[in-house]
Amino acid sequence: MRNLAALFSMLMPGFGQLYNRQFLKSVFLLFVEHYDNVMGRINTAIHLDFNGFHQKALEAANFQYLLFYPGFYAYTVWDAWYFAKPNADKTKSAIPFLIGGFLGEFGAIFSSRLPIPTLMVGLLMVIPMITGMIILRNQ
C-alpha cells in the first residue's frame, strides 16, 4: 500500500523504503537519518521542547545539522510514497512534499519565534505531506 510506505517513512526515514523492498536505499537512508539526528541533537531538542524547556531545546540543537533534516525527511517520505506505486506521476506527486520540506526548513530557521518549536516545525512538514497524499491518492 502506498500510504503505508509513506507512513513507515514518516515514522523513521528509511522504513518506507524497507517496506518497498529497496534494501540498499533503506540502509543508506537509515544511516543518514541517524547520523543527522545524533549530530543535530534532534531527539534532545524534541525531549526538552515537549517538556516545556523551549529555550533549552533551541540551545541544545545543532543547527548546522538540523537545517538539513526537513528536506531530507520530506524526500524520504516522498520517495517511499512515489516508488510504492508503479507509473506514478513524478512531478505532480512531489509538490506537497516539496511544500512540506520548504515549510519545515523555514520553520527551523525561524524556530526561535515559534511557541513549541519542534512540534510546530513537525506539523509544518507533515500536514502538507498528508494533505497531498490524500488529494493525490489515485494518481
Side-chain angles (χ1 to χ4, degrees), residues 10 69-75 77-78 93-108 120-132:
M10 283 182 183
Y69 197 77
F72 170 75
Y73 183 81
Y75 169 76
V77 177
W78 170 79
S93 70
I95 293 170
F97 300 94
L98 285 168
I99 292 169
F102 276 114
L103 288 176
E105 197 68 40
F106 285 115
M120 297 296 291
V121 171
L123 290 174
L124 283 171
M125 289 189 314
V126 171
I127 289 173
M129 289 191 280
I130 291 176
T131 303

Side-chain angles (χ1 to χ4, degrees), residues 27-95:
V27 169
F28 175 75
L29 293 176
L30 282 166
F31 174 78
V32 171
E33 197 283 332
H34 279 83
Y35 177 80
D36 192 47
N37 197 315
V38 169
M39 297 305 289
R41 291 184 238 131
I42 295 170
N43 285 344
T44 302
I46 292 170
H47 175 74
L48 288 168
D49 199 26
F50 276 41
N51 283 291
F53 302 106
H54 309 303
Q55 188 58 39
K56 285 185 181 180
L58 292 170
E59 292 167 5
N62 182 346
F63 281 87
Q64 289 182 352
Y65 290 91
L66 182 90
L67 291 176
F68 172 76
Y69 197 77
F72 170 75
Y73 183 81
Y75 169 76
T76 60
V77 177
W78 170 79
D79 181 76
W81 190 70
Y82 172 74
F83 283 104
K85 182 177 181 183
N87 303 319
D89 183 357
K90 194 173 201 173
T91 306
K92 189 183 287 184
S93 70
I95 293 170

